[in-house]
Amino acid sequence: MIRELGDVIPVPAEVRPDTAVRFHFDAGTAIGATPGTEQVAAYLADILRPATGFDLPVTPAETPEGSGAVALRLDRSLADEEYRLEITDGGVTLTGGASAGLFYAVQTLRQLLPAEIFATTPHGIGWTLPGGTIVDRPRFAYRGAMLDVARHFFTVDEVKSYLDTLAQFKINHLHLHLTDDQGWRIEIESWPKLTAISGGDGTGVDGAGPGFYTRDDYTEIVAYAANRYVVIVPEIDMPGHVNAAQVAYPELTADGVAPPQRTDTAVGYSSLVAGKPETYAFVEDVLREVAELTPGPYLHIGGDEAQATTAEDYRTFIQRALAVVTGLGKSPVGWHEMAAVDLPPSAVTQFWRIEAMDDGTARAAAGGGKVLMSPADRTYLDMKYTAESPLGLDWAGLLDVEKAYGWDPAERLPGVGEQALLGVEAPLWSETLRSLADVQTMAFPRLPAIAEIGWSPRESRNWESFRHRLAACGHRWRLQGVAFHRSPEVPWPA
Ligand code: ACM
């Protein structure tokens, strides 16, 4: 069966089908990579070879010899993430404003092939693309997901697997929540006990397990993400959510006494001490080392749920932490409580709470600051789908797929409109999630809803269309070994 040209998630900006034509891949199809497109061309060949069994040689030519040509090009008149995909009887042309756009053209092409293209062994079926032209570009610069690796740790390979599935939906940021009360998951050479103690045995919720990323591990994740045009946004949560740091270094507490290790899921009880010099030695060393591992522009400093910090100490601490981040040449990101202080121009405020009104975020936006939208009741993928969901929490309400899809980030907060928005992010907190399959089950199929909100023009979003397009993902996820929730809202094929 040949797919329809617009049967893609996120739905493209412009779709012009031409049902009179179609393109067939066969054993003679070759891929032509013009200068600057070689890496994406190699990636395209890599993802098409296993299921098709075709050679798909990549040659440095505009029009390769062969029974049909797939040509990759750059066109600097397009925005970096913008692309054009033209499909005719004689060939396919993918044009990107930069490599990122070309990569998105590849993701669209992949979804337009039969689902079996996601198989890892050859399938002798017809590999046909529907004819026509797609011209596509994102609504928001930042389309994100977050994974909490502190409450339960996820290995480098598990994070890579999550990145592979995110990139298929044109998600371009993965925020890693690296530290919390229950564990510290990133090696800091100047404070080695952070991971030696708080990345070790007995850490995590219910003491479920050790784990942390060495600097090499982390660098590997950053590079793997970059090859999929995903920027890693590291979060060191402060001044609250720091029990694990204080277990390792008691000088970070008010009385210098180490607190007990915590494996429960309470929040709001730990705090760095705003008036102690040790606090800032810690903050400066940790953020400097994390910045060294971070080619991307953002360092996330948390700032949420600091109930154990007085309002005055909170402001003192956040001002200092913001100055450290900007001094490292990075843009600070923080949960929206951070907006209690005057923010530097490069700061990004991440809105998460479920109340409709929040003055700090609107004030930050009024001052020209950028806002990242993660309202818990629409984007927190750890919320249960239904009351019966075995995984997840429900403090922000139940979140079915239609609810995750049916809202708009520019309408969520008075005073925070389109111009103020950097984008959207779907956090996944891991208190109840122990395995990659658990993560996938909560992310899919809701993450594609957030991805479409972040990418597609607002006027082209439509729930009926979306749930039918989602149905086509089920077979692809099965072929990739990706767990997903068989939400009854989606007309999954039998
Ligand atoms: C948060 O959910 N505490 C940001």
Side-chain angles (χ1 to χ4, degrees):
M1 202 186 79
I2 300 171
R3 309 195 68 83
E4 286 186 22
L5 192 66
D7 192 0
V8 173
I9 295 176
V11 69
E14 297 169 39
V15 179
R16 295 179 222 128
D18 180 351
T19 52
V21 297
R22 59 188 56 176
F23 177 77
H24 302 282
F25 285 84
D26 63 31
T29 304
I31 297 176
T34 55
T37 70
E38 296 87 351
Q39 197 191 342
V40 180
Y43 170 84
L44 174 63
D46 279 348
I47 61 172
L48 298 183
R49 280 181 191 129
T52 61
F54 300 150
D55 287 346
L56 298 166
V58 178
T59 64
E62 177 92 13
T63 329
E65 303 280 321
S67 56
V70 178
L72 284 79
R73 297 198 190 124
L74 295 173
D75 175 351
R76 302 289 179 191
S77 72
L78 302 179
D80 285 0
E81 292 191 305
E82 188 172 3
Y83 71 89
R84 208 165 42 232
L85 175 60
E86 295 157 285
I87 302 167
T88 68
D89 286 328
V92 179
T93 307
L94 301 87
T95 310
S99 302
L102 212 45
F103 181 79
Y104 297 139
V106 168
Q107 298 308 328
T108 295
L109 181 154
R110 194 181 197 186
Q111 288 190 32
L112 290 173
L113 284 166
E116 288 80 2
I117 197 64
F118 287 88
T120 51
T121 52
H123 280 53
I125 61 171
W127 300 106
T128 303
L129 286 169
T133 300
I134 289 176
V135 184
D136 198 12
R137 65 195 74 84
R139 174 176 172 192
F140 294 119
Y142 188 118
R143 304 163 312 270
M146 186 209 85
L147 184 62
D148 171 6
V149 298
R151 271 57 172 271
H152 282 101
F153 181 68
F154 297 93
T155 64
V156 172
D157 283 345
E158 288 170 332
V159 173
K160 286 181 178 176
S161 173
Y162 197 45
L163 280 163
D164 281 333
T165 50
L166 297 175
Q168 289 170 20
F169 297 101
K170 305 185 174 81
I171 293 285
N172 66 349
H173 290 78
L174 176 63
H175 163 186
L176 291 175
H177 183 77
L178 293 164
T179 67
D180 213 303
D181 290 315
Q182 302 87 346
W184 186 283
R185 309 300 185 187
I186 175 106
E187 176 186 16
I188 304 294
E189 284 180 335
S190 54
W191 295 69
K193 288 192 282 185
L194 289 169
T195 46
I197 293 177
S198 291
D201 285 338
T203 62
V205 168
D206 296 337
F212 66 89
Y213 307 122
T214 64
R215 288 171 68 96
D216 284 350
D217 289 340
Y218 194 79
T219 300
E220 191 178 327
I221 291 172
V222 168
Y224 192 87
N227 282 332
R228 284 146 190 80
Y229 300 89
V230 176
V231 173
I232 297 291
V233 180
E235 179 185 355
I236 305 295
D237 203 350
M238 307 177 285
H241 293 273
V242 293
N243 195 72
Q246 293 175 324
V247 171
Y249 288 101
E251 59 266 44
L252 297 175
T253 65
D255 58 9
V257 177
Q261 195 170 71
R262 293 284 290 257
T263 59
D264 59 304
T265 60
V267 297
Y269 57 83
S270 62
S271 178
L272 294 174
V273 185
K276 259 185 138 173
E278 291 89 337
T279 297
Y280 302 102
F282 167 79
V283 170
E284 284 169 17
D285 287 342
V286 169
L287 291 177
R288 175 178 41 76
E289 288 199 31
V290 174
E292 284 166 13
L293 301 176
T294 302
Y298 304 115
L299 288 190
H300 200 305
I301 56 169
D304 59 320
E305 298 177 310
Q307 285 97 298
T309 316
T310 67
E312 191 188 340
D313 281 356
Y314 182 82
R315 285 193 295 271
T316 302
F317 176 85
I318 291 287
Q319 297 277 20
R320 293 274 303 254
L322 287 168
V324 174
V325 175
T326 55
L328 291 164
K330 298 295 183 186
S331 300
V333 188
W335 300 106
H336 67 239
E337 289 96 319
M338 172 181 84
V341 306
D342 289 331
L343 297 172
S346 68
V348 177
T349 302
Q350 185 168 15
F351 176 76
W352 66 276
R353 249 197 323 250
I354 52 182
E355 295 89 275
M357 286 293 295
D358 179 77
D359 291 334
T361 309
R363 202 174 61 93
K370 286 290 184 189
V371 174
L372 186 54
M373 272 288 163
S374 299
D377 58 343
R378 303 288 188 159
T379 66
Y380 272 31
L381 301 178
D382 55 310
M383 292 300 114
K384 290 175 178 287
Y385 289 89
T386 68
E388 288 73 43
S389 295
L391 299 170
L393 305 174
D394 63 3
W395 61 265
L398 302 172
L399 183 58
D400 62 21
V401 186
E402 184 170 8
K403 189 173 172 194
Y405 187 75
W407 66 288
D408 194 81
E411 282 177 3
R412 181 58 198 241
L413 274 185
V416 184
E418 188 87 13
Q419 290 312 309
L421 293 176
L422 183 63
V424 290
E425 181 179 290
L428 187 46
W429 302 95
S430 65
E431 286 95 331
T432 66
L433 312 178
R434 286 163 188 268
S435 65
L436 179 63
D438 288 353
V439 165
Q440 292 168 340
T441 301
M442 298 310 269
F444 303 110
R446 294 179 294 190
L447 185 102
I450 305 303
E452 182 151 312
I453 290 171
W455 178 280
S456 302
R458 185 174 168 173
E459 60 280 2
S460 62
R461 276 199 277 128
N462 175 291
W463 166 245
E464 271 308 306
S465 157
F466 180 70
R467 71 190 192 95
H468 282 91
R469 284 179 286 122
L470 258 189
C473 294
H475 194 194
R476 293 181 200 137
W477 285 325
R478 270 198 298 276
L479 288 163
Q480 294 175 85
V482 172
F484 64 100
H485 174 61
R486 286 187 66 89
S487 164
E489 307 160 85
V490 178
W492 309 107

